[in-house]
Amino acid sequence: MLEQRIQQHFIDSADLKYQAAQALSAPISAAVQALLACITGGGKILACGAGASASQAQMFAGLCVSGLERDRPELAAVALTSESVFLGSISGASNLSNHYLARQVRALGQASDVLLVVSISGNESCMLQAVEAAHERDMMVVVLTGNTGGALAGRVRETDVLITVPHERPMRVREVHDLVLHCLCDGVDTQLLGEQEM
């Protein structure tokens, strides 16, 4: 019984990835172009997420700096910290707990930069405020979310990119998010270094 359940997880994950491939290829390609324009224009990528998505944002920033599968110069990318309690305690103001990402975007972000937001639901107030702060800085935003995109989908501007994984189950969305982040890194590498056999 357990083995069948495990096998079903593999099947469900593969099915979702297969179904999402065509729908997501255009927005992923648009996101690659946005990241490429940022990097080649001297900008940097600020990546953030809440909860488990924060570690995906850290992974993405790490891959930008160290490379996915190819040796290349480092790309400027920073994962914004998710240590809201730490940041709030520095100033002694507990009302900063929902503003910790927005404050980092305002401190580090410039008009030539891109904010990459990773969120399963698209409804976390800290993510919404980070997007608002990026727009205040005239930054482009790439939003990676799930299901319908939540409130974040309503905050995306025409110049931004929205990548929404069409599924309700968080673990399935997270699995596709990992693949999308790998596609973004591979796409940037391909644009910078040329095609490589898959």
Side-chain angles (χ1 to χ4, degrees):
M1 183 65 102
L2 180 58
E3 288 184 14
Q4 289 176 336
R5 184 175 180 87
I6 291 167
Q7 290 172 15
Q8 192 61 48
H9 279 302
F10 276 84
I11 292 166
D12 291 347
S13 181
D15 283 348
L16 175 59
K17 289 172 184 170
Y18 182 78
Q19 293 167 14
Q22 188 170 4
L24 298 184
S25 61
I28 293 171
S29 178
V32 167
Q33 295 305 321
L35 297 174
L36 187 66
C38 166
I39 292 162
T40 58
K44 64 187 170 299
I45 302 164
L46 302 180
C48 65
S53 297
S55 57
Q56 289 179 305
Q58 288 177 329
M59 175 198 74
F60 177 78
L63 291 174
C64 286
V65 173
S66 64
L68 180 64
E69 293 182 318
R70 301 165 76 175
D71 186 28
R72 58 147 168 77
E74 298 80 5
L75 306 179
V78 177
L80 303 180
T81 182
S82 60
E83 299 295 327
S84 59
V85 175
F86 173 72
L87 290 171
S89 68
I90 289 174
S91 66
S94 60
N95 65 347
L96 295 178
S97 62
N98 286 330
H99 301 275
Y100 65 99
L101 291 172
R103 292 175 67 86
Q104 292 173 78
V105 170
R106 287 189 194 101
L108 300 172
Q110 303 294 327
S112 58
D113 299 338
V114 170
L115 176 68
L116 173 73
V117 175
V118 185
S119 168
I120 299 294
S121 70
N123 292 318
E124 300 94 341
S125 61
C126 58
M127 299 289 110
L128 295 167
Q129 291 169 17
V131 169
E132 186 177 315
H135 286 155
E136 289 171 9
R137 292 282 189 258
D138 293 323
M139 295 169 60
M140 187 175 190
V141 178
V142 174
V143 174
L144 179 55
T145 187
N147 199 5
T148 63
L152 277 173
R155 301 284 175 94
V156 172
R157 295 179 174 176
E158 279 187 25
T159 54
D160 297 332
V161 179
L162 176 64
I163 304 169
T164 305
V165 177
H167 206 278
E168 295 177 3
R169 200 162 179 193
M171 75 168 158
R172 294 284 93 89
V173 173
R174 196 170 293 117
E175 289 163 0
V176 178
H177 280 183
D178 277 339
L179 179 57
V180 170
L181 294 171
H182 287 156
C183 287
L184 293 176
C185 291
D186 177 71
V188 169
D189 284 358
T190 299
Q191 294 297 308
L192 290 174
L193 305 172
E195 291 281 343
Q196 184 182 35
E197 278 192 37
M198 293 183 73

